[in-house]
């Protein structure tokens, strides 16, 4: 798996023909971007209606968001690099783009405090000279792409005696923020429900977590799950535990906390990662019940692939199953880990073709 292997996820046809009309029928390229708080993944995409590959990745690059002043500059650089990558004839033909981004769209803006810069949809469309620009939630895109995953492209977290049933599929995970979406199967089609479940109020599950919540809530009116289950959240857990333990703060980044915990070099870091996994198990179980995720759970995000072994040995499963009478239901819901890679780009492109082009006939360019 990883950044490049995910191209094969588009190797099977969508349940519904993609791009039934419009310019994509004639092979018009378009951009798909998966923009998070840390990385932006950009792809030059081509729809292939009637083919066994509904979307093809022609060129792909991952950017570090902090290196760029705005999203428009980043996307313009990607287009400029196409000539070097052997796609110069396509540069002038790119008139459409879909952006999968953390957060929500309010009026003309993408609203998310984790993005490194503000994003105006109208300004971005004008900067790039686009005829069409669509924006969806980043986990909505990842969830859409999971329909192409095979079991051998995932890692087990909680296995079940029987394969997952047909039903809603929960996709969630911590990165710079805490994203989630639900894939809803339909006859001949799928629908994805984007959510902001990460903003649900944090619910502690034991006395230690109650003490941590008291620290996190100091001077604040609201503490969400994202405040604990994210990269910045892991650092907050570590700082809170240093205070509760009466020890100095020695680690300054989420990566340092994770590294020290895995190496066993710092007791507060180790406890922070243990609390992180326990809270994640509890929250995952809550969402699986809420959405009736009989089709299974996929965990994504930038943190979990680094701690897969630790996660499986942690209290994640215990907390996931600790739901009273719903334990029997959750024992039939497998939980598997996926690497983000190109999934967001592929999912955004597939969603764009499958959901938008069939409904919105574009005028000739």
């Amino acid at each position: 798996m990883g950044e490049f292997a995910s191209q094969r996820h588009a190797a099977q046809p969508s349940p519904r023909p993609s791009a039934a009309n419009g310019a994509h029928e004639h092979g018009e390229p378009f951009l798909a971007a998966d923009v998070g708080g840390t990385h932006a993944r950009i792809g030059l995409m081509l729809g292939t209606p009637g083919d066994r590959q509904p979307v093809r990745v022609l060129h792909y690059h991952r950017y570090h968001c902090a290196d760029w002043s705005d999203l428009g500059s980043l996307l313009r650089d990607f287009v400029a690099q196409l000539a070097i990558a052997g796609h110069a004839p396509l540069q002038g033909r790119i008139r459409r783009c879909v952006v999968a981004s953390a957060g929500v769209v309010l009026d003309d803006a993408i609203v998310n405090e984790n993005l490194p810069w503000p994003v105006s949809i109208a300004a971005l469309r004008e900067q790039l000279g686009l005829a069409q620009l669509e924006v969806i939630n980043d986990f909505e895109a990842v969830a859409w792409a999971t329909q192409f995953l095979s079991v051998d492209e995932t890692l087990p977290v909680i296995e079940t005696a029987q394969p997952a049933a047909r039903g809603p599929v929960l996709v969630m995970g911590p990165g710079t923020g805490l994203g989630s979406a639900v894939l809803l199967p339909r006859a001949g089609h799928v629908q994805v429900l984007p959510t902001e479940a990460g903003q649900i109020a944090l619910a502690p599950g034991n006395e230690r977590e109650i003490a941590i919540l008291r620290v996190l809530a100091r001077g604040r009116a609201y503490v969400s799950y994202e405040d604990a289950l994210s990269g910045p959240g892991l650092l907050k857990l570590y700082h809170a535990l240093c205070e509760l333990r009466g020890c100095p703060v020695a680690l300054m980044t989420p990566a340092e906390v994770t590294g020290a915990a895995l190496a066993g070099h710092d007791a507060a870091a180790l406890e922070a990662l243990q609390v992180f996994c326990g809270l994640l198990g509890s929250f995952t179980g809550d969402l699986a019940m809420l959405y009736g995720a009989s089709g299974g759970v996929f965990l994504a995000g930038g943190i979990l692939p680094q701690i897969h072994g630790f996660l499986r040995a942690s209290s994640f499963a215990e907390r996931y199953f600790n739901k009273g009478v719903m334990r029997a239901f959750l024992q039939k819901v497998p939980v598997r880990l996926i690497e983000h890679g190109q999934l967001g780009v592929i999912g955004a492109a597939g969603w764009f073709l499958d959901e938008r082009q069939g409904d919105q006939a574009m005028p000739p360019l």
Side-chain angles (χ1 to χ4, degrees), residues 169-231:
V169 176
L170 171 65
V171 182
M172 61 175 294
T176 307
L178 177 59
S180 70
V182 183
L183 184 86
L184 302 171
R186 293 288 185 268
H189 180 46
V190 297
Q191 180 179 355
V192 179
L193 173 67
T195 86
E196 286 298 323
Q199 302 308 315
I200 292 173
L202 179 64
N206 53 48
E207 290 296 327
R208 189 61 160 175
E209 290 172 5
I210 291 172
I212 292 170
L213 178 58
R214 287 196 181 101
V215 176
L216 296 181
R218 192 177 298 141
R220 303 181 59 185
Y222 189 80
V223 179
S224 70
Y225 269 102
E226 187 175 85
D227 287 315
L229 297 179
S230 61

Side-chain angles (χ1 to χ4, degrees), residues 80-351:
Q81 296 302 319
L82 292 179
I84 300 174
H87 297 293
L90 300 180
Q91 285 179 307
R93 294 168 55 191
I94 299 171
R95 300 296 304 281
R96 294 173 174 85
C97 177
V98 55
V99 175
S101 174
V104 297
V105 175
L106 292 179
D107 298 323
D108 179 55
I110 299 175
V111 179
N112 186 345
E113 63 181 11
N114 292 322
L115 291 178
W117 4 252
V119 178
S120 164
I121 297 171
L124 186 60
R125 185 186 298 116
E126 183 177 352
Q127 288 172 24
L128 298 172
L130 297 171
Q132 184 179 9
L133 173 63
E134 301 290 345
V135 179
I136 65 170
N137 178 267
D138 58 341
F139 265 76
E140 182 179 3
V142 173
W144 199 96
T146 59
Q147 64 186 297
F148 300 116
L149 284 172
S150 61
V151 172
D152 62 357
E153 293 173 299
T154 69
L155 296 171
V157 178
I158 294 177
E159 299 184 89
T160 55
Q162 300 295 327
R166 177 175 171 79
V169 176
L170 171 65
V171 182
M172 61 175 294
T176 307
L178 177 59
S180 70
V182 183
L183 184 86
L184 302 171
R186 293 288 185 268
H189 180 46
V190 297
Q191 180 179 355
V192 179
L193 173 67
T195 86
E196 286 298 323
Q199 302 308 315
I200 292 173
L202 179 64
N206 53 48
E207 290 296 327
R208 189 61 160 175
E209 290 172 5
I210 291 172
I212 292 170
L213 178 58
R214 287 196 181 101
V215 176
L216 296 181
R218 192 177 298 141
R220 303 181 59 185
Y222 189 80
V223 179
S224 70
Y225 269 102
E226 187 175 85
D227 287 315
L229 297 179
S230 61
L234 177 61
L235 192 61
K236 291 176 183 177
L237 290 177
Y238 168 72
H239 284 181
L241 285 164
C242 285
E243 178 177 329
L244 293 172
R245 285 169 165 266
C247 63
V249 172
L251 308 171
M252 301 300 168
T253 68
E256 289 178 358
V257 174
T258 301
L262 295 178
H265 292 163
D266 187 297
L270 177 60
E271 186 179 3
L273 197 58
Q274 290 169 337
V275 170
F276 181 94
C277 292
L279 285 170
L280 181 64
S282 184
F283 189 50
T284 303
D286 286 345
L287 294 188
M289 290 190 300
L290 175 65
Y291 297 115
S294 57
V297 175
F298 287 117
L299 298 178
I303 296 174
L304 301 183
Q306 307 170 47
I307 64 167
H308 176 239
F310 189 97
L311 182 68
R312 294 199 72 183
S314 74
S315 63
F316 176 92
E318 176 189 344
R319 297 283 291 272
Y320 174 79
F321 290 128
N322 186 27
K323 302 299 175 183
V325 297
M326 290 302 292
R327 183 182 185 92
F329 167 75
L330 292 172
Q331 287 175 328
K332 296 181 179 181
V333 179
V335 180
R336 302 192 69 85
L337 177 64
I338 56 178
E339 287 196 47
H340 200 101
Q342 291 185 18
L343 284 178
V345 169
I346 291 170
W351 172 89

